[in-house]
Amino acid sequence: MRLVILNHPFRYEMEKLSREFFPEGIEIKEEVSGEREIVTSLFENEISVRFDSLEKRADISSLKEKNDIERLMAQLLYSVLSEKTCYSPSWGILTGIRPSKVMRNNISRSGEQKAKKYFTDELFVSEKKTDLALEVAKREQKIIDLSKNNSFSLYISIPFCPTRCSYCSFISHSYESVKKLIPEYVEKLVEEIRLTGKIAKDLGLKLETVYFGGGTPTTLEADDLKAITCAVSESFDTEKLREYTVEAGRPDTVTAEKLDVLKQSGVTRISINPQSFNDGVLEAIGRRHTGKQTEEAFLLAREKGFDNINMDLIAGLPTDTLSGFKNTLDKVLSLSPENITVHTLSIKRSSFLSEKADYSAALLAEQMLLETEKRLYGNYFPYYMYRQSKTLGNLENVGWCKEGREGFYNIFMMEEVHSVFACGAGAVTKLRSVKNENIERVFNFKYPFEYIKDYESVIKRKDRIYGFYNSYNN
């Protein structure tokens, strides 16, 4: 679909909103061709949106703020496209990745009732999604309030997996393809962790949460995991951590020996992620394990004493059906993990699925999310939420938990509550000022071979942490 931008600076928002109605792709133009196209324009004191035979206009002479004009144009665009396509996306014109943050900010300014009204009347968000954003916002706030001015979290990147899933766009590599790099990678990672610990100590910071992600950290052998976790415990004060999470996302990487290492290292929370319990779906997305292996890994973790386990599911996976997704929910609920995170499939350009995306799965994914809410509410509660670009139906990812079992790191990181120091290939340190909420990023090299080769540059970049804290936080 062609989107024409005439004389206004709102290209990004108009493109994102148009993509909700035409997910197969948007082509941006700056002149009218006469073909079937969406035309958005701003001339003098009037904005307009036209699609096919329907055109809507609005006077903007009384509007002084750019954001107000952009929102009004988005409202016109949504109204025109909804009417012509007979489709009304449930998140309305709200295209950002953090709906609950928008809700929290509006509650802070105007109170709960006006915040809800703003969502439904100005952003055109459905009542159901508005209620979801409100509940998540209130639960997030309780966790956010725990963070202090000297708080920070630590992220450790292990960018290796047994195989790469077809939907994955993360920087991850199959274990076999980079096996020869791993000893040196672990050695450099341990050095970086120790340096980062010194920086945190010099700055007088308090570590709140640790998160090992990737990739799949448990792709590493037990000895390598032990070396890395030992570096963490030797370099940081982990005695008062609120949470210590390690992704054991691929059940085919979970062993008794690795679980013993994690338990002995003080890890308090792990993820064992089925994505689906349908073996046919698992095969279709390139995961070399079965639903039975997921159950066995979960039960082994329970046997080893892990009492805080998350399980990830994905709605809208290729070949999955509503009945199959219901069966997956049945199985997960029978295991009774403390956290269940339900993602909506996102079709990323760098994933293997990108060339054969079936966007007709959007309605099915929405049915799956509705089924999730119906089945989980009562025993579980939504506690954090975010959205990704190119997600089926512009839908959301929601973390559900049993009462009092929220995942702290998820909220601290997603809502940018405090700084997150990151170590390893592909890791990005996010520095947050306590004075004005400014965010600055310090990037590590993406790929393990770059990280190893240019390790001195990685270490040199870490000096920016000192500069940031001296500039913003003193």
Side-chain angles (χ1 to χ4, degrees):
M1 176 58 64
R2 290 165 56 95
L3 171 64
V4 181
I5 306 293
L6 297 179
N7 198 43
H8 68 78
F10 310 129
R11 167 178 171 161
Y12 177 76
E13 196 66 21
M14 297 305 105
E15 180 181 2
K16 287 191 70 176
L17 187 53
S18 296
R19 196 180 295 278
E20 293 184 25
F21 294 88
F22 300 100
E24 66 276 7
I26 298 295
E27 180 186 9
I28 304 295
K29 297 293 182 181
E30 294 184 356
E31 58 182 23
V32 177
S33 69
E35 300 177 12
R36 190 169 188 254
E37 57 196 1
I38 305 163
V39 180
T40 61
S41 66
L42 188 163
F43 289 104
E44 296 183 351
N45 290 322
E46 184 178 77
I47 57 174
S48 69
V49 174
R50 174 169 56 82
F51 179 58
D52 286 347
S53 59
L54 181 61
E55 183 174 18
K56 296 192 177 185
R57 300 172 178 269
D59 182 88
I60 59 170
S61 57
S62 64
L63 300 179
K64 305 301 181 185
E65 298 295 330
K66 180 179 175 181
N67 287 344
D68 293 334
I69 299 172
E70 181 181 52
R71 183 169 64 253
L72 181 56
M73 181 174 280
Q75 291 171 343
L76 291 184
L77 179 60
Y78 183 92
S79 178
V80 167
L81 295 184
S82 293
E83 189 170 332
K84 295 301 292 184
T85 63
C86 300
Y87 171 60
S88 299
S90 55
W91 282 105
I93 67 171
L94 186 57
T95 58
I97 65 173
R98 301 183 185 91
S100 55
K101 185 173 185 176
V102 177
M103 178 63 79
R104 285 201 325 276
N105 289 341
N106 275 277
I107 290 173
S108 177
R109 285 194 298 264
S110 309
E112 188 174 310
Q113 291 307 311
K114 287 186 178 180
K116 288 183 66 175
K117 187 173 177 60
Y118 177 75
F119 261 58
T120 56
D121 295 359
E122 297 293 325
L123 302 180
F124 301 167
V125 179
S126 73
E127 288 190 12
K128 195 170 187 64
K129 297 302 184 188
T130 296
D131 288 341
L132 174 63
L134 176 62
E135 181 168 3
V136 171
K138 290 162 76 172
R139 288 183 175 273
E140 284 181 338
Q141 191 62 56
K142 294 177 183 179
I143 305 302
I144 290 170
D145 289 343
L146 298 174
S147 179
K148 307 305 178 185
N149 285 348
N150 65 338
S151 294
F152 79 106
S153 290
L154 176 67
Y155 178 80
I156 307 294
S157 174
I158 313 291
F160 311 116
C161 279
T163 59
R164 184 173 178 179
C165 300
S166 61
Y167 56 80
C168 182
S169 63
F170 288 111
I171 303 300
S172 59
H173 309 269
S174 69
Y175 182 78
E176 290 303 320
S177 68
V178 293
K179 191 174 181 178
K180 63 182 181 181
L181 293 178
I182 287 178
E184 192 171 2
Y185 180 81
V186 171
E187 178 185 334
K188 298 299 185 188
L189 178 58
V190 165
E191 288 181 27
E192 187 185 5
I193 290 169
R194 288 180 171 149
L195 172 65
T196 305
K198 180 181 183 304
I199 293 172
K201 185 176 181 180
D202 290 345
L203 294 171
L205 302 179
K206 180 182 182 297
L207 183 60
E208 300 283 356
T209 65
V210 177
Y211 196 100
F212 281 44
T216 306
T218 46
T219 302
L220 295 180
E221 298 298 335
D223 286 347
D224 291 327
L225 285 173
K226 185 173 182 179
I228 298 168
T229 54
C230 282
V232 170
S233 60
E234 291 167 0
S235 306
F236 297 89
D237 180 4
T238 59
E239 292 298 315
K240 297 180 182 179
L241 280 178
R242 296 188 186 277
E243 179 182 273
Y244 191 160
T245 299
V246 172
E247 287 273 359
R250 292 286 289 264
D252 45 339
T253 67
V254 176
T255 67
E257 186 181 9
K258 293 176 187 178
L259 291 174
D260 285 338
V261 167
L262 299 182
K263 192 66 179 174
Q264 292 162 11
S265 300
V267 173
T268 59
R269 182 176 181 272
I270 62 172
S271 283
I272 297 175
N273 302 330
Q275 313 302 9
S276 171
F277 270 95
N278 184 320
D279 288 349
V281 173
L282 294 174
E283 183 177 357
I285 62 175
R287 287 174 79 95
R288 295 179 183 173
H289 65 83
T290 63
K292 188 174 188 303
Q293 284 177 286
T294 302
E295 181 179 8
E296 291 170 348
F298 183 93
L299 295 176
L300 180 60
R302 285 289 198 229
E303 181 184 319
K304 294 295 182 179
F306 286 96
D307 61 359
N308 194 359
I309 302 177
N310 172 73
M311 301 190 91
D312 278 6
L313 306 179
I314 299 179
L317 286 172
T319 77
D320 205 359
T321 63
L322 183 58
S323 62
F325 188 79
K326 288 179 179 179
N327 290 337
T328 291
L329 284 174
D330 286 340
K331 191 63 184 177
V332 171
L333 289 171
S334 73
L335 294 171
S336 192
E338 286 63 41
N339 288 180
I340 302 172
T341 306
V342 183
H343 302 267
T344 305
L345 181 65
S346 179
I347 309 297
K348 297 294 189 179
R349 183 180 302 172
S350 58
S351 71
F352 297 146
L353 278 182
S354 61
E355 296 179 359
K356 49 184 179 181
D358 179 9
Y359 287 96
S360 66
L363 293 177
L364 175 59
E366 187 162 19
Q367 289 179 301
M368 291 173 172
L369 294 189
L370 289 172
E371 187 66 25
T372 297
E373 292 180 17
K374 184 169 70 175
R375 300 289 302 281
L376 266 59
Y377 259 123
N379 293 320
Y380 293 84
F381 304 92
Y383 76 93
Y384 96 107
M385 170 174 59
Y386 68 100
R387 298 192 299 167
Q388 296 170 278
S389 63
K390 298 185 179 179
T391 296
L392 295 178
N394 194 37
L395 295 167
E396 67 277 2
N397 306 320
V398 178
W400 297 77
C401 68
K402 293 181 177 180
E403 192 65 63
R405 305 309 295 268
E406 293 87 353
F408 293 92
Y409 175 84
N410 289 329
I411 296 173
F412 291 152
M413 178 273 300
M414 184 53 60
E415 299 303 319
E416 298 178 330
V417 176
H418 54 229
S419 293
V420 177
F421 293 178
C423 301
V428 180
T429 292
K430 291 175 74 172
L431 303 172
R432 182 189 183 276
S433 167
V434 299
K435 287 186 176 180
N436 54 19
E437 299 187 9
N438 280 2
I439 298 290
E440 185 175 321
R441 291 168 173 81
V442 180
F443 295 86
N444 282 5
F445 291 104
K446 283 186 176 182
Y447 301 102
F449 71 89
E450 292 178 303
Y451 175 82
I452 293 169
K453 179 176 178 291
D454 294 314
Y455 180 72
E456 293 305 316
S457 296
V458 173
I459 296 307
K460 189 173 182 179
R461 291 178 186 182
K462 281 284 191 285
D463 287 341
R464 179 54 197 152
I465 299 176
Y466 287 115
F468 180 89
Y469 274 84
N470 289 334
S471 298
Y472 283 109
N473 294 346
N474 289 331

